[in-house]
Amino acid sequence: MDKTNAARALDRLKIRYELRGYEVDESDLSAETVAAKVGLAEAQVLKTLLVKGERIGHFFAVVPAGTELDLKACARAMGDKKVATVPLKEVEPLTGYIRGGVTALAAKKAFPVVVEASAMAHSVVSVSAGVRGTQMFLAPKDYVAATRAKVAQIARLVSATDEGENDPTD
């Protein structure tokens, strides 16, 4: 498995991590499926969404699989009035990453990051390594340090009516 730019970024910071590969199904890139493939609980697999605030501009919001971003809570956490997820077609030009491989680590631009507070309850979490099919396992405190993230309650559980819908930027 090749080292990604995200892995090299952690190497430079001397942060311990493990790369774990999984088989990609192009028809299902959901974080929930990734969790099953890498053998972690959904709450430990974090998906990275690109968001834009009215005042602060673009930033990454990182929430666990099985949850969705609470836009109002996210706006409050970032000190903005209103935020919205960025359309999928804009994600790669802004971050350098494609859907299923988006990570806040070593993106084209160092956007601010906010991480769902519940992620801190785990000894290990998983985030994309910057390519589809490779996840990085690391301590949530190390991820927060590496991304200089703010930690806040920004996620809510996916309702039964939303079940099966894929988030466009995970």
Side-chain angles (χ1 to χ4, degrees):
M1 186 172 334
D2 292 335
K3 276 214 175 170
T4 63
N5 288 339
R8 285 188 278 281
L10 292 181
D11 289 343
R12 282 191 296 278
L13 295 169
K14 297 184 177 10
I15 291 177
R16 291 182 53 186
Y17 64 92
E18 174 193 337
L19 292 178
R20 176 121 11 128
Y22 64 93
E23 194 171 316
V24 177
D25 175 355
E26 299 283 334
S27 68
D28 184 1
L29 298 170
S30 72
E32 294 77 18
T33 298
V34 173
K37 288 182 177 187
V38 299
L40 288 178
E42 287 185 359
Q44 290 176 271
V45 175
L46 307 179
K47 55 187 174 180
T48 304
L49 309 171
L50 186 62
V51 181
K52 185 175 184 183
E54 282 184 345
R55 293 186 192 148
I56 63 170
H58 293 96
F59 64 95
F60 289 112
V62 183
V63 298
T67 70
E68 61 188 11
L69 182 62
D70 180 330
L71 294 172
K72 287 181 181 173
C74 188
R76 275 192 307 274
M78 295 303 282
D80 212 325
K81 278 184 165 181
K82 188 177 180 184
V83 301
T85 54
V86 172
L88 185 56
K89 68 183 186 307
E90 297 175 26
V91 173
E92 185 178 3
L94 288 165
T95 67
Y97 293 122
I98 61 171
R99 178 169 183 246
V102 176
T103 183
L105 295 161
K108 241 185 199 181
K109 186 171 180 211
F111 294 119
V113 180
V114 59
V115 174
E116 164 56 36
S118 64
M120 304 309 289
H122 305 285
S123 59
V124 172
V125 293
S126 170
V127 296
S128 174
V131 294
R132 290 178 181 167
T134 307
Q135 290 290 107
M136 303 177 94
F137 286 38
L138 71 165
K141 67 176 179 44
D142 290 340
Y143 178 72
V144 167
T147 59
R148 298 184 182 144
K150 180 176 204 167
V151 177
Q153 291 184 330
I154 58 166
R156 63 175 174 240
L157 291 176
V158 176
S159 66
T161 56
D162 295 336
E163 204 63 45
E165 289 183 12
N166 289 335
D167 212 313
T169 56
D170 61 18

